[in-house]
Amino acid sequence: MADSRRVLLGISGGIAAYKVCSVISSLAKAGVAVKAVLTQQGQAFIPLLTVATLSRRPAYTDESFWQATQGRPLHIELGEWAELLVIAPLSANTLGKLAHGLADNLLTNTVLASTCPVLLAPAMNTDMWQQRAVQRNWHRVLEDARYHAINPGSGVLACDRIGTGRMAEPEDLLAHIYSLLHSGGRRDLAGKHLLISTGSTREFLDPVRFIGNPASGKMGVALAQAAIHRGATVTLVHGPLEDALKARLGGIQAIEVTTAEEMHRAMLTYLPQVDWVVMAAAVADIKPATQAATKLAKADLPESLPLAPVPDIVADLAQRRQPHQRLIGFAAQTGDIVPPALEKLRRKGLDAIVANPIDVAGSGFGCDRNQAILLTQAGEKIAIPPCTKLEMAHQIFEVLGVRF
Ligand code: C5P
């Protein structure tokens, strides 16, 4: 991401502050300008020197705020500078101040002196998180469209408790930060419910052998995250995902399936409730004609494998959809990607299809990056040059958001 992106990081008091160091480091290495504001309690957990060194910029404290002697007030400068404000960790105390519009330190004054989106990553002990007052504040703050949440996860907490209150991991924080930088905090999909499929399906011959493909599910998870940030409700139907990817599904209703038939059933179940369907899954088009319930001995394996078709899920959804529902497919192709994708767009009855090459290094199955040509039913052909899958997801929604 270009140098011009500007993230202001607010660090309030919590042991999860240590995780923020790697976030600052990754952003700075990617060329994002990071400035940081530490509350007094934040400084108890992480030295100013660490933050300033990692960000390659000065970091600010209440001391810099109250003792400023020249120039414009620091909170105004920082508030105007920030393109995105991230508060991680967000303590119960700072949350309470945000919920009530209070401003008694540099961080809370800067929040009030800025208009950019604010990403909140709470971290606290389970009992603190579950206090009614804290939950009230959390819901109250999120009523304001300016605030975006990364809900705390569950796990072992630093207080030796197991429960909810763990701050999101750095990878997850970074994905949210990049996503909000792409969308600029716009909630242009607000009120829409998206049904997204992703990953591969597996068609078993016996309990150990299956027909499948290398799709990782990264594109669909990126689509789901981007849609959530743009204000949509998301239901994600996915094949097997790596744990790191599963950890990024916070706030998303996720349904895990294995076979194309299970995916078909899940998609049909949710179809009536949704506005858009994005079928990013790489469905196995065929399955073994018979499935053994127990493992076949090597000697019993057939020399050739009789195959049977699986349902064409998206084509079936197109038959059953209501007039206001929109269907977007994906076409993973080799060679000239446009003609076969156009043919699928028409044959399956889709509103748009994203044709992406799987024979170009650094894009397609399993990669973090992708490139594509977005084809619409109206005959448009929009090139999406190589970029991260998250950026591509935002570009797809930007194009389709104004057309559908
Ligand atoms: O596999 P194919 O290239 O035909 O996939 C194009 C689109 O159709 C994708 O959106 C894919 O998810 C969908 N599809 C499906 N059911 C299948 C095969 C593909 O919905 N059995």
Side-chain angles (χ1 to χ4, degrees):
M1 231 186 227
D3 268 325
S4 51
R5 307 322 292 257
R6 303 175 312 277
V7 173
L8 181 64
L9 194 63
I11 302 171
S12 61
I15 182 59
Y18 83 93
K19 293 188 190 173
V20 169
C21 296
S22 71
V23 174
I24 302 172
S25 170
S26 299
L27 289 173
K29 280 185 201 146
V32 176
V34 183
K35 291 185 181 179
V37 172
L38 287 82
T39 65
Q40 211 177 339
Q41 295 75 13
Q43 280 180 82
F45 287 97
I46 173 173
L48 197 61
L49 183 62
T50 305
V51 176
T53 308
L54 288 172
S55 65
R56 287 84 160 150
R57 281 164 202 274
Y60 303 93
T61 61
D62 287 348
E63 210 175 319
S64 12
F65 182 42
W66 298 116
Q67 292 179 4
T69 50
Q70 55 184 13
R72 299 173 76 216
L74 186 54
H75 61 300
I76 311 286
E77 285 286 341
L78 290 173
E80 286 178 4
W81 178 85
E83 187 182 356
L84 172 66
L85 223 157
V86 181
I87 308 185
L90 173 71
S91 65
N93 184 40
T94 299
L95 169 62
K97 292 179 198 174
L98 298 183
H100 294 88
L102 299 177
D104 67 345
N105 57 12
L106 176 59
L107 177 58
T108 46
N109 273 282
T110 305
V111 172
L112 295 190
S114 60
T115 54
C116 62
V118 185
L119 177 62
L120 301 175
M124 63 196 81
N125 155 277
T126 307
D127 289 332
M128 293 175 78
W129 175 246
Q130 287 170 348
Q131 282 299 323
R132 279 165 66 181
V134 172
Q135 285 300 308
R136 247 193 327 266
N137 287 340
W138 182 236
H139 290 113
R140 178 189 272 222
V141 113
L142 295 179
E143 280 168 14
D144 183 340
R146 208 188 152 195
Y147 291 100
H148 297 258
I150 312 188
N151 283 303
S154 321
V156 180
L157 306 178
C159 52
D160 282 340
R161 289 273 303 273
I162 298 177
T164 308
R166 253 178 93 84
M167 192 177 79
E169 297 305 317
E171 279 303 306
D172 198 14
L173 270 166
L174 284 167
H176 277 76
I177 290 170
Y178 284 126
S179 185
L180 282 168
L181 285 174
H182 289 310
S183 72
R186 280 190 308 281
R187 294 189 187 258
D188 49 3
L189 295 181
K192 289 207 168 20
H193 188 160
L194 269 63
L195 174 60
I196 299 172
S197 72
T198 198
S200 65
T201 61
R202 293 179 175 180
E203 308 301 333
F204 282 85
L205 169 64
D206 69 8
V208 290
R209 303 170 179 101
F210 62 85
I211 295 175
N213 61 69
S216 60
K218 286 181 180 173
M219 190 64 231
V221 170
L223 285 159
Q225 272 192 327
I228 290 275
H229 280 143
R230 302 180 89 99
T233 303
V234 173
T235 302
L236 181 74
V237 175
H238 64 84
L241 297 181
E242 279 183 9
D243 286 349
L245 211 51
K246 268 194 190 164
R248 286 175 39 195
L249 298 182
I252 297 165
Q253 180 189 24
I255 293 110
E256 180 158 7
V257 296
T258 305
T259 65
E261 261 144 35
E262 285 169 20
M263 184 171 279
H264 189 208
R265 268 198 302 276
M267 298 298 279
L268 283 180
T269 304
Y270 290 99
L271 178 68
Q273 306 166 21
V274 304
D275 301 288
W276 294 10
V277 177
V278 188
M279 192 75 201
V283 184
D285 292 307
I286 36 152
K287 64 176 183 182
T290 56
Q291 289 92 47
T294 51
K295 183 181 173 185
L296 298 171
K298 212 176 194 174
D300 296 337
L301 288 175
E303 277 190 6
S304 64
L305 193 59
L307 298 173
V310 299
D312 191 321
I313 302 170
V314 81
D316 187 38
L317 300 180
Q319 297 285 319
R320 297 168 188 256
R321 71 157 135 183
Q322 300 155 47
H324 75 277
Q325 293 180 311
R326 296 284 166 264
L327 289 187
I328 302 133
F330 268 70
Q333 303 293 158
T334 53
D336 186 358
I337 62 176
V338 171
L342 264 182
E343 188 273 325
K344 283 176 193 173
L345 173 81
R346 299 209 175 102
R347 175 168 45 86
K348 299 190 185 216
L350 308 177
D351 297 291
I353 196 157
V354 182
N356 65 302
I358 48 167
D359 54 355
V360 173
S363 74
F365 289 143
C367 296
D368 290 322
R369 296 174 68 80
N370 211 352
Q371 56 183 291
I373 299 178
L374 172 56
L375 305 162
T376 66
Q377 206 211 7
E380 289 169 295
K381 223 192 251 184
I382 299 149
I384 305 181
C387 59
T388 64
K389 287 186 169 170
L390 192 57
E391 187 169 357
M392 176 175 287
H394 280 287
Q395 288 196 35
I396 291 168
F397 291 138
E398 243 145 61
V399 171
L400 299 182
V402 290
R403 282 163 179 80
F404 289 177

